[in-house]
Amino acid sequence: MSTTEPAAGLSADVVLIGAGIMSATLGMMLKELQPDLTIAIFERLDVAAAESSDAWNNAGTGHSAFCELNYTPEKPDGSIDTSKAIKIAEQFEQSKQFWSFLAEKYEVKELSRFINHIPHLSFVWGDKNVNFLRKRHAALTQSPLFKGMEYTEDRDQMEQWMPLVMDGRDPNQPVAATRMDLGTDVNFGSLTRGMFTLLQEKPGVSFYFHHDVEKISRKEDSRWRLKAKDLSTGAAVKIRAPFVFIGAGGGSLPLLIKSGIPEGQGFGGFPVSGQWLKCVNPEVIARHHAKVYGKAAVGSPPMSVPHLDTRVINGKQELLFGPYAGFSTKFLKQGSYLDLPLSVKLSNMRPMIIAGLKNIPLTKYLINQVRQSPQDRLEALREYLPEARAEDWQLEIAGQRVQVIKKDEKQGGVLEFGTEVVAAADGSIAALLGASPGASTAVSIMVGLVQRCFPAQAATPEWQAKMREMIPSFGLDLNANPQMVAELRSRTSSVLGLKEASPAA
């Protein structure tokens, strides 16, 4: 993608900061809703989707709550809370609907470059965890969104589902697993670049790669003025726009603070880095075809839930295990070690200190992760692959995530896991903060942002009709409509080439 030539005194209807999955999704959505909108996209790096959206920096699970056990916490009375899982499953269905709409409208070929059928499994051991998984399965399968989920404690069945995980396992160890054949693997880097390619072909869309946004301020005419530096030439680019979206991953927080909006005060960030073990033995890779998620260690962040993942990256099947968490003061993988200290302001210092004091177990967990030796990492892998050999795996650096810290009237400050949209009261600027399951639920997040920041337009019959065309379940409760779930899943699976799912689905 070429970068538009720098110029002074530019203007646009919409400025998107960050060339990741969020900006790509919002840009495509807005151009579909109002084709004459002018959009300018600024990215600090020289390519799109090189940070959180990149395939090697992102789990690519297509988070649908099929296998992620942290989305179904156990209540004090022993019952399972399925509310978050159901919400995320609905959101991922919206994502598939939107991607199907784009694939059909623009006759997109080779969809396997960004989405593939990979079963989603949860695997646990120990009597307590087996009991939890059994209850989880019983609770989730009450919802049509989880129809087809299988549960087993039968080792022969598990041997078929995940032979590597069962090879060499203690025969006396209590084990259990669930399986959703409907699962997917998503290359969000490829998806993002594909959407930007479609955007680039539309009139009124400009790209500014290798441009670092340094200033954001509100002018008397109520428009936002942004100043960016061309990192190739050092030249300044100034642009005005009535609406700005900050979708810069870990870089969103500093930019939100620079905007000066009162809604952004009190927000802080806690960076968490990650690493993978990448399999380099083709024979081992070929024997595993699933995403197998386990239970997170006590005190660990959700992004550190261990999983053994089949991935399809650039047309090649890969196998990853992790992620192993770590700590860095960078907010981006290609960021600065000064990111965290420079983000501390008077407005967010108290919430950050209080949140830090209340999350000492997390801090200890991250310190222990940083101190891990190669043998420590191998032992963690062997909990999932008992016969894993060190020579078959190599260490890869994963993406950087910034967890949200915000003010809380009762607690002073809280650390939150997930994504959060922070918008000005008038909807003229919005920023996306946080991490998982962000990319997988980007479509529903952007639908909410459009309704919040463009309320008058979003309420018109024209925008409402277009929303339903792009996302047929828009405004409807999928969980309460089993027939619609079945019909829409059948359609999106057909359009996206996911029909290879086995009959168990």
Coordinates of all heavy atoms in Angstrom, one line a residue, residues 10-64:
L10 N -4.5 19.6 5.8 CA -5.4 18.6 5.3 C -6.7 18.5 6.1 O -6.7 19.0 7.2 CB -4.7 17.2 5.3 CG -3.4 17.0 4.5 CD1 -2.8 15.7 4.8 CD2 -3.7 17.1 3.0
S11 N -7.7 17.9 5.5 CA -8.9 17.7 6.3 C -9.6 16.4 5.8 O -9.3 15.9 4.7 CB -9.9 18.9 6.1 OG -10.4 18.9 4.8
A12 N -10.3 15.8 6.8 CA -11.1 14.6 6.5 C -12.3 14.5 7.4 O -12.4 15.2 8.4 CB -10.2 13.4 6.7
D13 N -13.2 13.7 7.0 CA -14.4 13.5 7.9 C -14.0 12.6 9.1 O -14.6 12.8 10.2 CB -15.6 12.8 7.1 CG -16.1 13.7 6.0 OD1 -16.2 14.9 6.2 OD2 -16.3 13.2 4.9
V14 N -13.2 11.7 8.8 CA -12.8 10.7 9.8 C -11.3 10.5 9.8 O -10.7 10.3 8.7 CB -13.5 9.4 9.6 CG1 -13.0 8.3 10.5 CG2 -15.0 9.5 9.8
V15 N -10.6 10.5 11.0 CA -9.2 10.1 11.1 C -9.2 8.8 11.9 O -9.7 8.8 13.0 CB -8.4 11.2 11.7 CG1 -7.0 10.7 12.0 CG2 -8.2 12.4 10.7
L16 N -8.5 7.8 11.4 CA -8.2 6.6 12.1 C -6.8 6.5 12.5 O -5.9 6.6 11.6 CB -8.7 5.4 11.3 CG -10.1 5.4 10.7 CD1 -10.3 4.2 9.7 CD2 -11.1 5.4 11.8
I17 N -6.5 6.3 13.7 CA -5.1 6.2 14.2 C -4.8 4.8 14.5 O -5.4 4.2 15.4 CB -4.8 7.1 15.4 CG1 -5.2 8.6 15.1 CG2 -3.3 7.0 15.8 CD1 -5.0 9.5 16.3
G18 N -3.8 4.2 13.7 CA -3.5 2.8 13.9 C -4.1 2.0 12.8 O -5.3 2.0 12.6
A19 N -3.2 1.2 12.1 CA -3.7 0.4 11.0 C -3.8 -1.0 11.4 O -3.2 -1.9 10.8 CB -2.7 0.6 9.8
G20 N -4.6 -1.3 12.4 CA -4.9 -2.6 12.9 C -6.3 -3.0 12.6 O -7.1 -2.4 11.8
I21 N -6.8 -4.1 13.1 CA -8.1 -4.7 12.9 C -9.2 -3.8 13.2 O -10.2 -3.7 12.5 CB -8.2 -6.1 13.6 CG1 -9.5 -6.8 13.2 CG2 -8.1 -5.9 15.1 CD1 -9.6 -7.2 11.8
M22 N -9.1 -3.0 14.3 CA -10.1 -2.1 14.7 C -10.4 -1.0 13.7 O -11.5 -0.7 13.3 CB -9.8 -1.5 16.1 CG -9.8 -2.6 17.2 SD -11.4 -3.4 17.4 CE -11.0 -4.6 18.6
S23 N -9.3 -0.3 13.3 CA -9.4 0.7 12.3 C -9.9 0.2 11.0 O -10.7 0.9 10.3 CB -8.1 1.5 12.1 OG -7.7 2.2 13.3
A24 N -9.4 -0.9 10.5 CA -9.8 -1.5 9.3 C -11.3 -1.8 9.3 O -12.1 -1.6 8.4 CB -9.1 -2.8 9.0
T25 N -11.8 -2.4 10.4 CA -13.2 -2.7 10.6 C -14.1 -1.5 10.6 O -15.1 -1.4 9.9 CB -13.5 -3.5 11.9 OG1 -12.7 -4.7 11.8 CG2 -14.9 -3.9 12.0
L26 N -13.7 -0.5 11.3 CA -14.5 0.8 11.4 C -14.4 1.5 10.1 O -15.5 2.0 9.6 CB -13.9 1.7 12.5 CG -14.6 3.0 12.7 CD1 -16.1 2.8 13.0 CD2 -14.0 3.8 13.8
G27 N -13.3 1.5 9.4 CA -13.2 2.2 8.1 C -14.1 1.6 7.1 O -14.9 2.3 6.4
M28 N -14.1 0.2 7.0 CA -15.0 -0.5 6.0 C -16.4 -0.2 6.4 O -17.3 0.0 5.5 CB -14.7 -2.0 6.0 CG -13.4 -2.4 5.3 SD -13.4 -1.9 3.5 CE -14.9 -2.7 2.9
M29 N -16.8 -0.3 7.7 CA -18.2 -0.1 8.1 C -18.7 1.2 7.7 O -19.8 1.4 7.2 CB -18.2 -0.4 9.6 CG -19.6 -0.7 10.1 SD -19.6 -1.2 11.9 CE -18.9 -2.9 11.7
L30 N -17.9 2.3 8.0 CA -18.3 3.6 7.8 C -18.5 3.9 6.3 O -19.4 4.6 5.8 CB -17.4 4.6 8.4 CG -17.4 4.7 9.9 CD1 -16.3 5.7 10.4 CD2 -18.8 5.3 10.4
K31 N -17.5 3.4 5.5 CA -17.6 3.6 4.0 C -18.8 2.9 3.4 O -19.4 3.3 2.4 CB -16.4 3.1 3.3 CG -15.2 4.1 3.5 CD -15.5 5.5 2.9 CE -15.2 5.5 1.4 NZ -15.3 6.9 0.9
E32 N -19.2 1.8 4.0 CA -20.4 1.1 3.6 C -21.7 1.9 4.0 O -22.7 2.0 3.2 CB -20.5 -0.3 4.1 CG -19.5 -1.3 3.6 CD -19.7 -1.6 2.1 OE1 -20.8 -1.6 1.6 OE2 -18.7 -1.8 1.4
L33 N -21.7 2.4 5.2 CA -22.8 3.2 5.7 C -22.9 4.5 5.0 O -24.1 5.0 4.7 CB -22.7 3.4 7.2 CG -22.8 2.2 8.1 CD1 -22.3 2.5 9.5 CD2 -24.3 1.8 8.1
Q34 N -21.8 5.2 4.7 CA -21.8 6.5 4.0 C -20.7 6.6 3.0 O -19.6 7.0 3.4 CB -21.8 7.6 5.0 CG -22.0 9.0 4.4 CD -22.1 10.1 5.4 OE1 -22.6 9.9 6.5 NE2 -21.6 11.3 5.1
P35 N -20.8 6.1 1.8 CA -19.7 6.0 0.8 C -19.0 7.3 0.6 O -17.8 7.3 0.2 CB -20.4 5.5 -0.4 CG -21.6 4.8 0.1 CD -22.1 5.6 1.3
D36 N -19.6 8.5 0.8 CA -18.9 9.8 0.5 C -18.1 10.3 1.6 O -17.5 11.3 1.5 CB -20.0 10.8 0.0 CG -20.9 11.2 1.2 OD1 -21.0 10.5 2.2 OD2 -21.7 12.2 1.0
L37 N -18.0 9.6 2.7 CA -17.1 10.0 3.8 C -15.6 10.0 3.4 O -15.2 9.0 2.6 CB -17.3 9.0 5.0 CG -18.4 9.2 6.0 CD1 -18.4 8.1 7.1 CD2 -18.3 10.6 6.6
T38 N -14.9 11.0 3.8 CA -13.4 11.0 3.5 C -12.7 10.5 4.8 O -13.1 10.9 5.9 CB -12.9 12.3 3.2 OG1 -13.3 13.3 4.2 CG2 -13.5 12.8 1.8
I39 N -11.8 9.6 4.6 CA -11.1 8.9 5.7 C -9.6 9.0 5.6 O -9.1 8.7 4.5 CB -11.5 7.4 5.9 CG1 -13.0 7.3 6.1 CG2 -10.7 6.7 7.0 CD1 -13.5 5.9 6.1
A40 N -8.9 9.4 6.6 CA -7.4 9.4 6.6 C -6.9 8.4 7.7 O -7.4 8.5 8.8 CB -6.9 10.8 6.9
I41 N -6.0 7.6 7.3 CA -5.5 6.5 8.3 C -4.0 6.8 8.5 O -3.2 6.8 7.6 CB -5.7 5.1 7.6 CG1 -7.2 4.9 7.4 CG2 -5.2 4.0 8.6 CD1 -7.5 3.9 6.3
F42 N -3.7 6.9 9.8 CA -2.3 7.1 10.2 C -1.7 5.9 10.9 O -2.4 5.4 11.8 CB -2.2 8.4 11.1 CG -2.3 9.7 10.4 CD1 -3.6 10.1 10.0 CD2 -1.2 10.4 10.0 CE1 -3.8 11.3 9.4 CE2 -1.4 11.6 9.3 CZ -2.7 12.1 9.0
E43 N -0.5 5.5 10.6 CA 0.1 4.3 11.2 C 1.6 4.6 11.4 O 2.3 5.1 10.5 CB 0.0 3.1 10.3 CG 0.8 1.9 10.6 CD 0.6 1.4 12.1 OE1 -0.5 1.3 12.5 OE2 1.6 1.2 12.8
R44 N 2.1 4.4 12.6 CA 3.5 4.7 13.0 C 4.5 3.8 12.2 O 5.6 4.2 11.9 CB 3.7 4.5 14.5 CG 5.0 5.0 15.0 CD 5.0 5.0 16.5 NE 4.7 3.6 17.0 CZ 5.7 2.7 17.2 NH1 6.9 3.0 17.0 NH2 5.4 1.5 17.7
L45 N 4.1 2.5 12.0 CA 5.0 1.6 11.3 C 4.8 1.8 9.8 O 3.9 2.5 9.3 CB 4.7 0.2 11.7 CG 4.9 -0.1 13.2 CD1 4.5 -1.5 13.6 CD2 6.3 0.3 13.7
D46 N 5.6 1.0 9.0 CA 5.5 1.2 7.5 C 4.6 0.1 6.9 O 4.5 0.1 5.6 CB 6.9 1.2 6.9 CG 7.7 0.0 7.2 OD1 7.1 -0.9 7.9 OD2 8.9 -0.1 6.8
V47 N 3.9 -0.7 7.7 CA 3.0 -1.7 7.2 C 1.8 -1.8 8.1 O 1.8 -1.4 9.2 CB 3.6 -3.1 7.1 CG1 4.7 -3.1 6.0 CG2 4.2 -3.6 8.4
A48 N 0.7 -2.3 7.6 CA -0.5 -2.5 8.3 C -0.4 -3.8 9.2 O 0.3 -4.7 8.8 CB -1.7 -2.5 7.4
A49 N -1.1 -3.8 10.3 CA -1.3 -5.0 11.1 C 0.0 -5.6 11.6 O 0.1 -6.8 11.7 CB -2.2 -6.0 10.4
A50 N 0.9 -4.8 11.9 CA 2.2 -5.3 12.4 C 2.4 -5.5 13.9 O 3.3 -6.0 14.3 CB 3.4 -4.4 11.8
E51 N 1.4 -5.0 14.6 CA 1.4 -5.1 16.1 C 0.5 -6.1 16.6 O 0.6 -7.3 16.2 CB 1.2 -3.7 16.7 CG 2.4 -2.8 16.7 CD 3.5 -3.2 17.8 OE1 3.2 -4.0 18.7 OE2 4.6 -2.6 17.8
S52 N -0.6 -5.8 17.3 CA -1.5 -6.7 17.9 C -2.2 -7.6 16.9 O -2.6 -8.7 17.2 CB -2.5 -6.0 18.8 OG -1.8 -5.4 19.9
S53 N -2.5 -7.1 15.7 CA -3.2 -7.8 14.7 C -2.4 -8.8 14.0 O -3.0 -9.7 13.3 CB -3.9 -6.8 13.7 OG -4.7 -5.9 14.4
D54 N -1.1 -8.8 14.1 CA -0.2 -9.7 13.3 C -0.4 -11.1 13.8 O -0.6 -11.4 15.0 CB 1.2 -9.3 13.5 CG 2.2 -10.1 12.7 OD1 2.3 -10.0 11.5 OD2 2.8 -11.0 13.4
A55 N -0.3 -12.0 12.8 CA -0.6 -13.4 13.1 C 0.3 -14.0 14.2 O -0.1 -14.8 15.1 CB -0.4 -14.3 11.9
W56 N 1.6 -13.6 14.3 CA 2.5 -14.1 15.3 C 2.3 -13.4 16.6 O 2.9 -13.9 17.6 CB 3.9 -14.0 14.8 CG 4.2 -15.0 13.7 CD1 4.4 -14.6 12.3 CD2 4.3 -16.4 13.7 NE1 4.6 -15.7 11.6 CE2 4.6 -16.8 12.4 CE3 4.2 -17.3 14.7 CZ2 4.8 -18.2 12.1 CZ3 4.4 -18.7 14.4 CH2 4.7 -19.1 13.1
N57 N 1.6 -12.3 16.6 CA 1.4 -11.5 17.9 C 0.1 -11.8 18.5 O -0.3 -11.2 19.5 CB 1.6 -10.0 17.6 CG 3.0 -9.7 17.2 OD1 3.9 -10.4 17.4 ND2 3.2 -8.5 16.5
N58 N -0.8 -12.5 17.8 CA -2.2 -12.7 18.2 C -2.5 -14.2 18.2 O -2.0 -15.0 17.4 CB -3.0 -12.0 17.1 CG -4.5 -12.0 17.5 OD1 -5.2 -13.0 17.6 ND2 -5.0 -10.8 17.6
A59 N -3.3 -14.6 19.2 CA -3.6 -16.0 19.3 C -4.4 -16.6 18.1 O -4.4 -17.8 17.8 CB -4.4 -16.3 20.6
G60 N -5.1 -15.7 17.4 CA -5.8 -16.1 16.2 C -6.9 -17.1 16.5 O -7.4 -17.8 15.5
T61 N -7.4 -17.2 17.7 CA -8.4 -18.3 18.0 C -9.7 -18.0 17.4 O -10.5 -19.0 17.2 CB -8.5 -18.4 19.6 OG1 -7.2 -18.8 20.1 CG2 -9.5 -19.5 20.0
G62 N -10.1 -16.8 17.0 CA -11.5 -16.6 16.7 C -12.3 -16.8 17.9 O -13.1 -17.7 18.0
H63 N -12.0 -16.0 18.9 CA -12.5 -16.1 20.3 C -14.1 -16.2 20.2 O -14.7 -15.2 19.9 CB -12.1 -15.0 21.2 CG -10.7 -15.1 21.6 ND1 -10.2 -16.2 22.4 CD2 -9.6 -14.4 21.4 CE1 -8.9 -16.0 22.6 NE2 -8.5 -15.0 22.0
S64 N -14.6 -17.3 20.5 CA -16.1 -17.5 20.5 C -16.5 -18.1 21.8 O -17.7 -18.6 21.8 CB -16.4 -18.4 19.3 OG -15.6 -19.5 19.1

